[in-house]
């Protein structure tokens, strides 16, 4: 595989997953369940948030704003070759207040609605990103935007940010957790779906 092909292969896998999920959710009856209602076995692909999900527009806005944000969760898993689909987008950033305005600008460009961890709406401004975690919803993706200040146990998530992988999406770049660190995060979380997905990632060859 050539270097350009290797650089954009993770994005091709993500685009293919978005198409697969669109096919699976087309015409599916609504249940009223969001990704926060997902069970610990099936995951968020069975919720209403899976319909129409496409993480790429928000990723483009974040990259163009200069926000240093890393994709975690199953979107990162898909970029590494996981076959399981997902209905949400989980993000990690370093919590540096100097970055807060850049994140706010990107989420505003995506017309995001933000809430705190209790579900209370918060304005989409730099102050919102002083929270340890902010929940977001855009027209094409919903999920959590987290910082290392959350209780991650013994996981060195700040180190994870510094050694993330990067993939080219043409006119923008996506940063996503490297496979080793994603496996560690899955194993530490310990839910049935996380352990299953960690095992899948361990079984995959190096795909570039």
């Amino acid at each position: 595989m050539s270097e350009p092909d290797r650089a954009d292969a993770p994005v091709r896998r993500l685009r293919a997953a978005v198409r697969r999920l669109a096919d699976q959710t087309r015409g599916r009856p609504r249940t009223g369940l969001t990704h926060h209602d997902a069970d610990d076995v099936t995951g968020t692909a069975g919720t209403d948030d899976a319909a129409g999900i496409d993480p790429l527009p928000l990723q483009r806005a974040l990259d163009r704003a200069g926000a240093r944000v890393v994709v975690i969760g199953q979107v990162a898993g898909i970029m590494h070759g996981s076959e399981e689909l997902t209905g949400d987008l989980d993000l990690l950033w370093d919590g540096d207040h100097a970055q807060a305005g850049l994140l706010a600008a990107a989420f505003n460009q995506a017309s995001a609605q933000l809430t705190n961890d209790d579900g209370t709406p918060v304005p989409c401004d730099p102050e919102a990103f002083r929270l340890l975690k902010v929940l977001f919803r855009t027209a094409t993706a919903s999920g959590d935007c987290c910082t290392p200040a959350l209780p991650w146990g013994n996981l060195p998530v700040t180190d994870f940010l510094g050694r993330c992988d990067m993939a080219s999406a043409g006119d923008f770049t996506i940063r996503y957790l490297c496979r080793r660190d994603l496996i560690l995060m899955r194993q530490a979380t310990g839910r049935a779906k996380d352990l299953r997905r960690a095992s899948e990632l361990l079984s995959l060859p190096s795909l570039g």
Side-chain angles (χ1 to χ4, degrees):
M1 184 181 293
S2 68
E3 286 304 317
D5 287 343
R6 186 178 297 276
D8 66 14
V11 180
R12 291 201 305 272
R13 290 192 281 268
L14 180 55
R15 292 187 195 278
V18 167
R19 292 193 296 270
R20 283 172 52 213
L21 191 57
D23 288 341
Q24 290 186 16
T25 58
R26 189 174 295 113
R28 190 171 74 183
R30 294 278 174 158
T31 63
L33 299 178
T34 72
H35 67 278
H36 289 291
D37 304 311
D39 64 62
D40 289 344
V41 178
T42 303
T44 59
T47 70
D48 290 350
D49 284 343
I53 186 175
D54 183 354
L56 292 164
L58 180 56
Q59 288 301 306
R60 180 185 290 109
L62 288 163
D63 185 63
R64 289 185 171 178
R68 297 190 303 268
V69 178
V70 174
V71 177
I72 61 176
Q74 185 56 11
V75 171
I78 289 167
M79 295 180 73
H80 283 295
S82 174
E83 291 296 319
E84 290 200 30
L85 299 175
T86 185
D88 66 334
L89 171 64
D90 293 323
L91 303 171
L92 178 67
W93 68 294
D94 62 11
D96 183 350
H97 291 168
Q99 284 277 305
L102 302 178
L103 270 78
F107 278 96
N108 266 310
Q109 183 180 339
S111 300
Q113 298 176 339
L114 305 183
T115 65
N116 64 21
D117 205 17
D118 294 327
T120 302
V122 295
C124 190
D125 60 21
E127 194 64 29
F129 293 94
R130 295 182 185 272
L131 299 171
L132 304 187
K133 178 173 73 172
V134 65
L135 286 56
F136 64 86
R137 180 172 297 278
T138 73
T140 62
S142 59
D144 303 337
C145 190
C146 306
T147 70
L150 285 171
W152 295 97
N154 294 324
L155 289 176
V157 294
T158 299
D159 294 342
F160 291 0
L161 289 168
R163 58 180 181 241
C164 67
D165 289 338
M166 293 189 290
S168 171
D171 60 342
F172 66 101
T173 298
I174 299 177
R175 294 169 175 80
Y176 62 108
L177 217 61
C178 76
R179 182 162 64 169
R180 178 185 63 178
D181 292 340
L182 183 57
I183 290 169
L184 288 174
M185 192 174 282
R186 294 284 195 212
Q187 292 172 333
T189 305
R191 296 170 299 190
K193 64 179 181 180
D194 293 297
L195 296 177
R196 182 180 69 241
R197 291 168 179 175
S199 294
E200 180 192 24
L201 290 171
L202 282 166
S203 72
L204 293 175
S206 177
L207 296 174

